[in-house]
Amino acid sequence: MSESTTAPTGDHALKVKHRAMWALGDYPAVATEVIPELGPILVSACEVGPGDRVLDVGAGSGNAAIPAALTGATVVASDLTPELFDAGRRDADAAGTTLTWQEADAEALPFDDASFDVAFSCVGIMFAPHHQPSADELVRVTRPGGRIGLLSWTPAGFIGRMFAIMKPYAPPPPPGAQPPPLWGDESHVRSLLGERVTDVQARTANLRVERFATGEEFRDFFKAAYGPTIAVYRAIAGEPDRVAALDRELAELGRSYDLGGGAMDWEYLLLTARRAG
């Protein structure tokens, strides 16, 4: 959920496609019903507080931006898909806080250098197709000494495995696009940020998800609400055998993670750093 149509001309069609994909279904329901704990975890790790200028890249409907605003920070929630902002505004109003919502491209952010004390992304920037430009922009808009925070699904965790399952059913990615779960690989993120950051701290942890009683319930929810899953099913809609096969694989994935009582653990990487200089 990042990027925007202000990107370079060669990427325009790809950006439009990504924006449309994240507008499918009901991502705000995913944010509020499935992963609500992730935003506060990232906000706490970045030590966001009153007076901080904060940028959330790939903010979606604000599952990290709103908790940041509740600390007294001044927050900009940026995303490729402004269709998600209406739900975010409603959630912010209900929480009793305000923030700025701005359509923006993770790979070409419309903000000045060193504009923010904190720049972070909660399972958002990882879906920008080109990783290095996104990392470059994240560093650029953070002031020297400012904090950078990234919370991303790992390749080996539940969501990483879900994307691996869907890959054979999806159209080939465009040249140069990189897999989102690579942002959950510590060495990959360290290489993206390079020597421009210091005080890097990284750890993997699990989000306990208790939203789905069965693997089939997980599959059906994601088929209805999660843009990437919806897009894959649309790509194979005319092939009933492949639809049935993907149905089976996703339901089995859900069952394989069942800890009993409908609980699952979804692994993520939490990485924080400070901009050098």
Side-chain angles (χ1 to χ4, degrees):
M1 296 147 334
S2 42
E3 319 130 73
S4 104
T5 55
T6 60
T9 303
D11 277 344
H12 180 76
L14 176 59
K15 303 293 181 167
V16 171
K17 182 178 178 180
H18 273 241
R19 171 177 172 168
M21 178 181 70
W22 287 106
L24 296 171
D26 188 0
Y27 186 79
V30 178
T32 58
E33 297 179 27
V34 185
I35 60 169
E37 296 91 350
L38 291 186
I41 289 170
L42 181 59
V43 170
S44 176
C46 291
E47 301 179 346
V48 176
D52 280 333
R53 300 164 298 163
V54 177
L55 175 66
D56 185 354
V57 179
S61 54
N63 62 312
I66 293 170
L70 288 169
T71 71
T74 299
V75 180
V76 177
S78 68
D79 201 282
L80 168 65
T81 308
E83 291 87 345
L84 301 174
F85 292 167
D86 285 345
R89 291 187 182 99
R90 290 192 296 271
D91 289 344
D93 287 345
T97 191
T98 59
L99 55 153
T100 300
W101 303 87
Q102 185 164 343
E103 181 180 352
D105 183 346
E107 299 175 10
L109 292 170
F111 307 109
D112 292 337
D113 295 356
S115 296
F116 298 95
D117 301 300
V118 182
F120 63 48
S121 186
C122 182
V123 296
I125 198 172
M126 65 180 292
F127 293 101
H130 306 109
H131 295 186
Q132 191 63 63
S134 301
D136 294 345
E137 286 292 272
L138 195 69
V139 173
R140 180 185 67 78
V141 301
T142 306
R143 67 166 176 81
R147 286 96 73 198
I148 292 170
L150 295 160
L151 193 155
S152 310
W153 302 119
T154 65
F158 183 86
I159 296 296
R161 287 188 59 192
M162 184 187 77
F163 274 92
I165 286 169
M166 294 194 301
K167 182 178 179 180
Y169 299 91
Q178 295 174 278
L182 275 179
W183 282 89
D185 181 319
E186 180 183 344
S187 63
H188 179 68
V189 180
R190 283 179 176 269
S191 70
L192 293 174
L193 298 174
E195 297 181 359
R196 297 171 299 178
V197 299
T198 62
D199 301 330
V200 177
Q201 298 184 39
R203 64 180 178 88
T204 56
N206 286 309
L207 172 70
R208 179 62 54 89
V209 175
E210 298 179 301
R211 170 61 174 77
F212 310 110
T214 66
E216 287 77 10
E217 184 179 353
F218 148 72
R219 176 200 66 204
D220 293 345
F221 181 89
F222 268 61
K223 284 177 69 173
Y226 194 62
T229 307
I230 296 169
V232 171
Y233 272 97
R234 287 190 176 185
I236 60 173
E239 304 173 78
D241 289 346
R242 299 187 78 203
V243 169
L246 182 54
D247 276 347
R248 289 192 297 271
E249 290 193 60
L250 289 179
E252 176 53 36
L253 174 67
R255 287 192 293 270
S256 72
Y257 273 76
D258 186 358
L259 301 173
M264 295 186 283
D265 281 344
W266 294 8
E267 187 182 64
Y268 61 86
L269 172 73
L270 176 63
L271 184 145
T272 58
R274 288 188 178 271
R275 181 178 171 181

